[in-house]
Amino acid sequence: MASFTIPHHIITGNNILSEASPIIKTMGRKAFIVTGKHVAKSDMMQKLKDLLKLENINFEVFDGITGEPTDTMITNGVELYKKSGCDFVIGIGGGSPLDSAKAISAMTVNDGSISDYNGKEITGDIPPIVAIPTTAGTGSEATKFTIITDEENDIKMLLKGDVLIPQLAIVDAGFTLSAPKSVTAATGLDALTHAVEAYTSKKATPMTDVLSVSAVKLIMKYLPIAYNQPDNLQSREQMSIASLQAGICINNSSVTLVHGMSRPIGALFHVPHGMSNAMLLKTCLEFAMPGVYEKFANLAYETNAASKSDSKEAAAQKFVDSLHKICDICEIPTLRQYGIDKDEYYQKIDKMAEDAVASGSPANTVKPVSVDDCKQLYKKLYT
């Protein structure tokens, strides 16, 4: 029997922050706002502060999330949370602040370091979480996952627990208009990866299938527009909805090989998460297609990448080829073009392959995936 979990409340639309007031008021008396340096100085942050002041909710701002979150950042956030007397958490920004908000909330009531929970289910009566994404891609506002880098061991940890699902997700497409082109591309392709992997995962369900297909169709249509026309609000709205749908999907049917192999590249070579996913898409999904040809073919039919006259195998390949095309439109570099040194890369293939399989995500792929498979795929990726 499959379960299906989503945030307690989801509010979507333009200029809808004020609509969240009745729910935010129930969260607590002092908010701990987790964000990055850029968003901390933005109009979006000012709107949030004004709303909290209007509702007589005090707040403390922690803007120590620089780049992708690390265990050190989480420790610093937890220390400030406890000193400031807050009783709930608001994450505002891209996936990094949202993931950090979850991790900080969890570690306010759990002992030890966040790294102690790698591979374990996070539990506890943690402070309520409000998630306000300013990018369309990570879907973190809808998931029970958080990705935090263990700096000592050079591992991007996939941490999970139902308690990490935000109580409130506020998805305002207007907040994504200021995202740079590179961020629009990386986060949009991250959402696309979520949707495709959730649809072709062993854990896929009829509920996630519907949302996955919808997300893929929206992203294939609107991501090129959002990338080339940053001020196009319609494309931003559709991408925000697609990102939310894809986030709900991975929350329930998880990700597969691409994410498993992407995280070690991000941890060791500091490639942004969405970009590393995009670099791997074609190679990893071609490997994963056997056993799931029908689903890949259906995505091709739904996105007009193939016609019904194509065989399932041919249609599946055409869909994967169309993913490569959208990566080209979004100017995604290869590993070599990104500047990753070949010798250093090859020296770390064994560790990356072991870390990828240990993350658990490749095991959700219908086709069995071994450490040796990952090693060969890593080699193929560079060449």
Side-chain angles (χ1 to χ4, degrees):
M1 181 177 70
S3 62
F4 191 79
T5 55
I6 60 174
H8 294 183
H9 301 277
I10 300 173
I11 299 176
T12 63
N14 293 317
N15 300 312
I16 43 81
L17 190 59
S18 61
E19 295 181 28
S21 288
I23 302 171
I24 293 176
K25 285 193 296 184
T26 68
M27 299 287 184
R29 294 171 297 176
K30 188 173 183 179
F32 189 73
I33 303 175
V34 180
T35 192
K37 303 293 185 186
H38 173 70
V39 174
K41 300 174 183 177
S42 69
D43 290 341
M44 297 175 285
M45 176 62 76
Q46 191 57 52
K47 288 180 181 179
L48 175 59
K49 289 179 177 178
D50 290 344
L51 176 71
L52 296 175
K53 290 175 183 176
L54 185 64
E55 299 297 344
N56 295 314
I57 298 173
N58 295 320
F59 55 84
E60 180 79 28
V61 177
F62 174 63
D63 63 359
I65 309 304
T66 55
E68 297 190 342
T70 66
D71 47 1
T72 301
M73 295 178 198
I74 302 309
T75 299
N76 293 340
V78 171
E79 289 177 356
L80 182 57
Y81 179 97
K82 291 180 176 179
K83 288 178 183 177
S84 58
C86 294
D87 52 7
F88 73 106
V89 179
I90 299 176
I92 178 169
S96 294
L98 268 56
D99 279 3
S100 299
K102 296 177 184 179
I104 290 169
S105 179
M107 295 312 298
T108 62
V109 299
N110 284 291
D111 296 330
S113 164
I114 188 71
S115 301
D116 297 335
Y117 295 85
N118 190 20
K120 301 176 182 178
E121 188 85 5
I122 294 177
T123 58
D125 186 16
I126 73 173
I129 302 166
V130 179
I132 308 173
T134 62
T135 62
T138 72
S140 186
E141 70 273 10
T143 74
K144 60 184 176 183
F145 304 110
T146 180
I147 299 175
I148 307 295
T149 297
D150 178 337
E151 292 182 297
E152 182 178 348
N153 296 304
D154 280 333
I155 297 173
K156 270 194 176 182
M157 303 178 292
L158 175 63
L159 304 159
K160 63 182 180 179
D162 285 345
V163 295
L164 298 179
I165 302 173
Q167 275 69 24
L168 172 61
I170 303 170
V171 182
D172 187 331
F175 282 7
T176 70
L177 285 169
S178 62
K181 288 185 73 173
S182 60
V183 173
T184 296
T187 55
L189 291 167
D190 189 21
L192 181 60
T193 308
H194 291 162
V196 175
E197 290 198 291
Y199 186 59
T200 57
S201 166
K202 282 180 181 177
K203 297 179 180 178
T205 69
M207 288 285 285
T208 58
D209 282 354
V210 171
L211 292 176
S212 295
V213 172
S214 174
V216 170
K217 291 169 69 175
L218 289 173
I219 295 166
M220 295 296 281
K221 180 176 180 179
Y222 288 103
L223 178 55
I225 300 172
Y227 183 71
N228 289 307
Q229 302 174 33
D231 294 331
N232 187 305
L233 185 57
Q234 182 188 21
S235 67
R236 296 290 191 175
E237 290 171 346
Q238 297 304 314
M239 284 301 300
S240 291
I241 292 298
S243 173
L244 176 63
Q245 290 176 332
I248 291 171
C249 289
I250 63 168
N251 195 48
N252 292 280
S253 58
S254 199
V255 289
T256 62
L257 179 61
V258 178
H259 271 75
M261 291 186 62
S262 169
R263 292 187 204 101
I265 290 176
L268 296 173
F269 297 101
H270 310 293
V271 182
H273 176 67
M275 183 179 291
S276 60
N277 280 343
M279 290 173 171
L280 305 179
L281 265 181
K282 188 173 189 294
T283 299
C284 288
L285 293 182
E286 281 181 338
F287 174 88
M289 277 195 298
V292 211
Y293 281 121
E294 185 171 353
K295 282 201 160 183
F296 278 104
N298 188 54
L299 291 176
Y301 303 143
E302 291 285 347
T303 58
N304 297 317
S307 68
K308 291 294 179 109
S309 62
D310 290 308
S311 68
K312 289 176 182 176
E313 289 81 359
Q317 185 62 54
K318 286 185 177 181
F319 175 72
V320 173
D321 289 342
S322 74
L323 298 180
H324 187 65
K325 291 177 183 176
I326 198 169
C327 287
D328 283 345
I329 291 171
C330 291
E331 301 177 278
I332 298 299
T334 62
L335 293 169
R336 187 192 303 271
Q337 290 168 340
Y338 190 78
I340 295 175
D341 179 75
K342 181 179 181 180
D343 291 339
E344 183 183 4
Y345 177 82
Y346 270 75
Q347 288 170 5
K348 294 181 177 178
I349 282 180
D350 286 356
K351 173 177 170 54
M352 289 194 295
E354 290 167 3
D355 288 349
V357 171
S359 75
S361 297
N364 298 323
T365 311
V366 171
K367 180 179 178 179
V369 181
S370 67
V371 170
D372 284 339
D373 290 329
C374 290
K375 290 179 183 179
Q376 295 306 312
L377 287 169
Y378 277 126
K379 292 175 183 177
K380 184 177 181 180
L381 280 162
Y382 200 92
T383 58

